[in-house]
Amino acid sequence: MSAAEISVSASSPHTAAAKRRPKAFAVFAALLALLVCTALLAATLGAAGIPLERLWPALGFGGAKDPATFARDQLVLWSIRIPRIAIAAMIGALLAVAGTVMQGLFRNPLADPALVGVSSGGAFAAAFTIVILDSMIAPNAAANAFELLPLAAFAGSLITTLLLYKIASRDGRTSVAMFLLSGLAIAALANAAIGLLIFMADDRQLRDISFWLLGSLGGATWSKAALLAPFVIIAGLVMPFIARGLDVLVLGEQEAFYSGINVERLKMISIVLVSAMTGAAVAICGVIGFVGIVVPHLLRLAIGPGHRLLLPASALFGAALMVFADTFARVLAAPAEIPVGILTATIGAPFFLYMLLRQRALVGS
């Protein structure tokens, strides 16, 4: 190879990155604008509508013309809408990043925390806490000790993920097919256990369990937003440190090892991160599926597979998608609310079928 060829070869990754950079910046700007627009839409729409000309005074920008309307708008906005928007954005970011990390870790575009039972494990742990804690300790004990439910959901998601990893791994290698199939089996087992808990539950517990199964942001409060915030911050701090490892892992575990990646440490950090993000999301709003599988795929088409850009872009797009889905769930059958998990499944399930058919076409070709 000539010196010129070596020079071109050595600079090609940087050249490619430089060529992608304007496009990536444009995508990030578009995603940020999308998130702001969906947040404004969510703030104005609902059973108590707040037009844009009244939104700015209620947010503290400008004076109000009608003191009575101003007071009502501020109450609705700061007590209900804004904490709900904040929680929806954080939930969407956590689920999208969890899906991106899991797909990178297992090198499979069909991996998703909800699909392989991680969310079901968290939901089962929360439902188990509601029913058994209330039955064995005191009525309403779980409801009165709200902090127990995030811990239970996190533990359920972590145990489920570790169990999947143990089943799918052998001699230091992880079988993706075994991972997905065992995930489906564990999801079915968790759902069966939830069905048994539903059979044992009384009317109040049954309503609480239904919340976990269908997913809803109806009980959004500032205290719940405060519970989610540390998970978002931790995910944001960890993402830069695992991005390169996930990129190299695409080549295989052995190649990643020879590239200087501590593969086992990367796996453990990724598994704990996915479990924490999924468990926190399930604990606050129940099971919401398909966000983690739809968002990474759409973004890979726009900015490529590099996780250094894909992870933060997934957080932004997941946040915007979740805020939009929750707004749609609130206004579609107003004044009633459709569980947001139903809407995400309605959008995500056809997309998942499309991915399956696309995978089959690629394998066939």
mmCIF file of all heavy atoms in Angstrom, residues 109-137:
data_model
loop_
_atom_site.group_PDB
_atom_site.id
_atom_site.type_symbol
_atom_site.label_atom_id
_atom_site.label_comp_id
_atom_site.label_asym_id
_atom_site.label_seq_id
_atom_site.Cartn_x
_atom_site.Cartn_y
_atom_site.Cartn_z
ATOM 1 N N PRO A 109 -31.229 -6.226 16.431
ATOM 2 C CA PRO A 109 -32.148 -5.079 16.364
ATOM 3 C C PRO A 109 -33.530 -5.355 16.929
ATOM 4 O O PRO A 109 -34.345 -4.438 17.005
ATOM 5 C CB PRO A 109 -32.229 -4.803 14.854
ATOM 6 C CG PRO A 109 -31.939 -6.117 14.214
ATOM 7 C CD PRO A 109 -30.955 -6.813 15.111
ATOM 8 N N LEU A 110 -33.804 -6.613 17.300
ATOM 9 C CA LEU A 110 -35.122 -6.939 17.843
ATOM 10 C C LEU A 110 -35.147 -6.962 19.363
ATOM 11 O O LEU A 110 -36.196 -7.220 19.952
ATOM 12 C CB LEU A 110 -35.584 -8.304 17.295
ATOM 13 C CG LEU A 110 -35.665 -8.415 15.775
ATOM 14 C CD1 LEU A 110 -36.127 -9.798 15.366
ATOM 15 C CD2 LEU A 110 -36.594 -7.360 15.213
ATOM 16 N N ALA A 111 -33.992 -6.744 19.992
ATOM 17 C CA ALA A 111 -33.952 -6.753 21.448
ATOM 18 C C ALA A 111 -34.621 -5.501 21.994
ATOM 19 O O ALA A 111 -34.396 -4.398 21.504
ATOM 20 C CB ALA A 111 -32.502 -6.837 21.918
ATOM 21 N N ASP A 112 -35.446 -5.694 23.002
ATOM 22 C CA ASP A 112 -36.162 -4.586 23.627
ATOM 23 C C ASP A 112 -36.518 -5.011 25.049
ATOM 24 O O ASP A 112 -36.932 -6.164 25.267
ATOM 25 C CB ASP A 112 -37.426 -4.249 22.837
ATOM 26 C CG ASP A 112 -38.259 -3.189 23.521
ATOM 27 O OD1 ASP A 112 -37.784 -2.053 23.625
ATOM 28 O OD2 ASP A 112 -39.371 -3.519 23.964
ATOM 29 N N PRO A 113 -36.359 -4.138 26.037
ATOM 30 C CA PRO A 113 -36.636 -4.549 27.420
ATOM 31 C C PRO A 113 -38.051 -5.084 27.626
ATOM 32 O O PRO A 113 -38.255 -6.000 28.410
ATOM 33 C CB PRO A 113 -36.406 -3.247 28.208
ATOM 34 C CG PRO A 113 -35.470 -2.453 27.374
ATOM 35 C CD PRO A 113 -35.811 -2.776 25.952
ATOM 36 N N ALA A 114 -39.027 -4.510 26.906
ATOM 37 C CA ALA A 114 -40.404 -4.987 27.073
ATOM 38 C C ALA A 114 -40.615 -6.319 26.367
ATOM 39 O O ALA A 114 -41.307 -7.206 26.880
ATOM 40 C CB ALA A 114 -41.386 -3.953 26.525
ATOM 41 N N LEU A 115 -39.984 -6.476 25.200
ATOM 42 C CA LEU A 115 -40.204 -7.690 24.415
ATOM 43 C C LEU A 115 -39.614 -8.916 25.088
ATOM 44 O O LEU A 115 -40.202 -10.002 25.049
ATOM 45 C CB LEU A 115 -39.588 -7.511 23.025
ATOM 46 C CG LEU A 115 -39.814 -8.648 22.037
ATOM 47 C CD1 LEU A 115 -41.282 -8.741 21.669
ATOM 48 C CD2 LEU A 115 -38.963 -8.438 20.796
ATOM 49 N N VAL A 116 -38.453 -8.781 25.715
ATOM 50 C CA VAL A 116 -37.784 -9.944 26.296
ATOM 51 C C VAL A 116 -38.091 -10.118 27.773
ATOM 52 O O VAL A 116 -37.426 -10.891 28.459
ATOM 53 C CB VAL A 116 -36.259 -9.849 26.095
ATOM 54 C CG1 VAL A 116 -35.916 -9.840 24.619
ATOM 55 C CG2 VAL A 116 -35.688 -8.615 26.780
ATOM 56 N N GLY A 117 -39.091 -9.426 28.280
ATOM 57 C CA GLY A 117 -39.585 -9.727 29.614
ATOM 58 C C GLY A 117 -39.001 -8.905 30.733
ATOM 59 O O GLY A 117 -39.388 -9.103 31.890
ATOM 60 N N VAL A 118 -38.080 -7.983 30.449
ATOM 61 C CA VAL A 118 -37.509 -7.176 31.523
ATOM 62 C C VAL A 118 -38.584 -6.284 32.154
ATOM 63 O O VAL A 118 -38.674 -6.169 33.382
ATOM 64 C CB VAL A 118 -36.336 -6.327 30.997
ATOM 65 C CG1 VAL A 118 -35.769 -5.437 32.097
ATOM 66 C CG2 VAL A 118 -35.244 -7.237 30.446
ATOM 67 N N SER A 119 -39.418 -5.686 31.311
ATOM 68 C CA SER A 119 -40.515 -4.864 31.840
ATOM 69 C C SER A 119 -41.532 -5.725 32.587
ATOM 70 O O SER A 119 -42.049 -5.324 33.633
ATOM 71 C CB SER A 119 -41.206 -4.117 30.694
ATOM 72 O OG SER A 119 -40.325 -3.218 30.083
ATOM 73 N N SER A 120 -41.813 -6.920 32.044
ATOM 74 C CA SER A 120 -42.765 -7.808 32.714
ATOM 75 C C SER A 120 -42.237 -8.233 34.076
ATOM 76 O O SER A 120 -43.009 -8.370 35.034
ATOM 77 C CB SER A 120 -43.028 -9.038 31.841
ATOM 78 O OG SER A 120 -43.626 -8.657 30.619
ATOM 79 N N GLY A 121 -40.916 -8.462 34.164
ATOM 80 C CA GLY A 121 -40.326 -8.802 35.459
ATOM 81 C C GLY A 121 -40.497 -7.682 36.460
ATOM 82 O O GLY A 121 -40.819 -7.925 37.632
ATOM 83 N N GLY A 122 -40.293 -6.440 36.008
ATOM 84 C CA GLY A 122 -40.497 -5.299 36.896
ATOM 85 C C GLY A 122 -41.954 -5.143 37.296
ATOM 86 O O GLY A 122 -42.267 -4.863 38.463
ATOM 87 N N ALA A 123 -42.857 -5.342 36.329
ATOM 88 C CA ALA A 123 -44.289 -5.228 36.632
ATOM 89 C C ALA A 123 -44.730 -6.319 37.602
ATOM 90 O O ALA A 123 -45.536 -6.074 38.513
ATOM 91 C CB ALA A 123 -45.097 -5.313 35.339
ATOM 92 N N PHE A 124 -44.191 -7.537 37.410
ATOM 93 C CA PHE A 124 -44.540 -8.621 38.342
ATOM 94 C C PHE A 124 -44.071 -8.280 39.753
ATOM 95 O O PHE A 124 -44.805 -8.500 40.730
ATOM 96 C CB PHE A 124 -43.904 -9.937 37.882
ATOM 97 C CG PHE A 124 -43.885 -10.977 38.956
ATOM 98 C CD1 PHE A 124 -45.066 -11.589 39.367
ATOM 99 C CD2 PHE A 124 -42.696 -11.332 39.587
ATOM 100 C CE1 PHE A 124 -45.057 -12.538 40.385
ATOM 101 C CE2 PHE A 124 -42.676 -12.265 40.586
ATOM 102 C CZ PHE A 124 -43.859 -12.878 40.989
ATOM 103 N N ALA A 125 -42.851 -7.759 39.881
ATOM 104 C CA ALA A 125 -42.344 -7.421 41.215
ATOM 105 C C ALA A 125 -43.211 -6.344 41.868
ATOM 106 O O ALA A 125 -43.496 -6.406 43.063
ATOM 107 C CB ALA A 125 -40.891 -6.955 41.105
ATOM 108 N N ALA A 126 -43.630 -5.342 41.074
ATOM 109 C CA ALA A 126 -44.490 -4.294 41.626
ATOM 110 C C ALA A 126 -45.848 -4.860 42.021
ATOM 111 O O ALA A 126 -46.375 -4.542 43.098
ATOM 112 C CB ALA A 126 -44.653 -3.172 40.600
ATOM 113 N N ALA A 127 -46.436 -5.703 41.156
ATOM 114 C CA ALA A 127 -47.740 -6.303 41.474
ATOM 115 C C ALA A 127 -47.628 -7.216 42.686
ATOM 116 O O ALA A 127 -48.523 -7.246 43.546
ATOM 117 C CB ALA A 127 -48.247 -7.079 40.255
ATOM 118 N N PHE A 128 -46.527 -7.971 42.768
ATOM 119 C CA PHE A 128 -46.311 -8.844 43.924
ATOM 120 C C PHE A 128 -46.232 -8.020 45.205
ATOM 121 O O PHE A 128 -46.795 -8.393 46.245
ATOM 122 C CB PHE A 128 -45.011 -9.628 43.710
ATOM 123 C CG PHE A 128 -44.701 -10.601 44.807
ATOM 124 C CD1 PHE A 128 -45.235 -11.880 44.796
ATOM 125 C CD2 PHE A 128 -43.861 -10.243 45.856
ATOM 126 C CE1 PHE A 128 -44.950 -12.783 45.808
ATOM 127 C CE2 PHE A 128 -43.574 -11.123 46.870
ATOM 128 C CZ PHE A 128 -44.112 -12.402 46.843
ATOM 129 N N THR A 129 -45.541 -6.880 45.122
ATOM 130 C CA THR A 129 -45.432 -6.008 46.295
ATOM 131 C C THR A 129 -46.800 -5.477 46.712
ATOM 132 O O THR A 129 -47.125 -5.438 47.903
ATOM 133 C CB THR A 129 -44.486 -4.834 45.978
ATOM 134 O OG1 THR A 129 -43.229 -5.357 45.570
ATOM 135 C CG2 THR A 129 -44.285 -3.954 47.192
ATOM 136 N N ILE A 130 -47.598 -5.088 45.723
ATOM 137 C CA ILE A 130 -48.928 -4.541 46.039
ATOM 138 C C ILE A 130 -49.794 -5.586 46.735
ATOM 139 O O ILE A 130 -50.376 -5.338 47.790
ATOM 140 C CB ILE A 130 -49.613 -4.052 44.752
ATOM 141 C CG1 ILE A 130 -48.902 -2.818 44.210
ATOM 142 C CG2 ILE A 130 -51.084 -3.724 45.007
ATOM 143 C CD1 ILE A 130 -49.392 -2.394 42.843
ATOM 144 N N VAL A 131 -49.862 -6.780 46.150
ATOM 145 C CA VAL A 131 -50.793 -7.789 46.661
ATOM 146 C C VAL A 131 -50.279 -8.420 47.953
ATOM 147 O O VAL A 131 -50.986 -8.468 48.965
ATOM 148 C CB VAL A 131 -51.032 -8.877 45.591
ATOM 149 C CG1 VAL A 131 -51.917 -9.985 46.149
ATOM 150 C CG2 VAL A 131 -51.676 -8.246 44.357
ATOM 151 N N ILE A 132 -49.041 -8.891 47.940
ATOM 152 C CA ILE A 132 -48.530 -9.626 49.095
ATOM 153 C C ILE A 132 -48.277 -8.711 50.274
ATOM 154 O O ILE A 132 -48.598 -9.031 51.419
ATOM 155 C CB ILE A 132 -47.242 -10.391 48.712
ATOM 156 C CG1 ILE A 132 -47.544 -11.352 47.570
ATOM 157 C CG2 ILE A 132 -46.694 -11.125 49.922
ATOM 158 C CD1 ILE A 132 -48.641 -12.354 47.861
ATOM 159 N N LEU A 133 -47.728 -7.512 50.008
ATOM 160 C CA LEU A 133 -47.463 -6.587 51.111
ATOM 161 C C LEU A 133 -48.757 -6.161 51.779
ATOM 162 O O LEU A 133 -48.852 -6.119 53.013
ATOM 163 C CB LEU A 133 -46.716 -5.356 50.584
ATOM 164 C CG LEU A 133 -46.094 -4.439 51.646
ATOM 165 C CD1 LEU A 133 -45.007 -5.180 52.398
ATOM 166 C CD2 LEU A 133 -45.501 -3.206 50.995
ATOM 167 N N ASP A 134 -49.763 -5.862 50.974
ATOM 168 C CA ASP A 134 -51.055 -5.478 51.545
ATOM 169 C C ASP A 134 -51.692 -6.629 52.310
ATOM 170 O O ASP A 134 -52.332 -6.436 53.346
ATOM 171 C CB ASP A 134 -51.999 -5.018 50.426
ATOM 172 C CG ASP A 134 -51.660 -3.603 49.980
ATOM 173 O OD1 ASP A 134 -50.726 -3.022 50.538
ATOM 174 O OD2 ASP A 134 -52.335 -3.102 49.071
ATOM 175 N N SER A 135 -51.525 -7.856 51.804
ATOM 176 C CA SER A 135 -52.184 -8.997 52.424
ATOM 177 C C SER A 135 -51.472 -9.453 53.687
ATOM 178 O O SER A 135 -52.111 -9.873 54.656
ATOM 179 C CB SER A 135 -52.251 -10.165 51.417
ATOM 180 O OG SER A 135 -52.944 -9.769 50.260
ATOM 181 N N MET A 136 -50.124 -9.386 53.691
ATOM 182 C CA MET A 136 -49.363 -9.965 54.800
ATOM 183 C C MET A 136 -48.994 -8.945 55.870
ATOM 184 O O MET A 136 -48.750 -9.304 57.017
ATOM 185 C CB MET A 136 -48.080 -10.608 54.259
ATOM 186 C CG MET A 136 -48.338 -11.760 53.315
ATOM 187 S SD MET A 136 -46.836 -12.572 52.784
ATOM 188 C CE MET A 136 -46.235 -13.231 54.341
ATOM 189 N N ILE A 137 -48.905 -7.653 55.512
ATOM 190 C CA ILE A 137 -48.455 -6.664 56.499
ATOM 191 C C ILE A 137 -49.610 -5.784 56.941
ATOM 192 O O ILE A 137 -49.997 -5.784 58.101
ATOM 193 C CB ILE A 137 -47.303 -5.822 55.913
ATOM 194 C CG1 ILE A 137 -46.107 -6.746 55.619
ATOM 195 C CG2 ILE A 137 -46.902 -4.728 56.889
ATOM 196 C CD1 ILE A 137 -44.916 -6.029 55.055
#
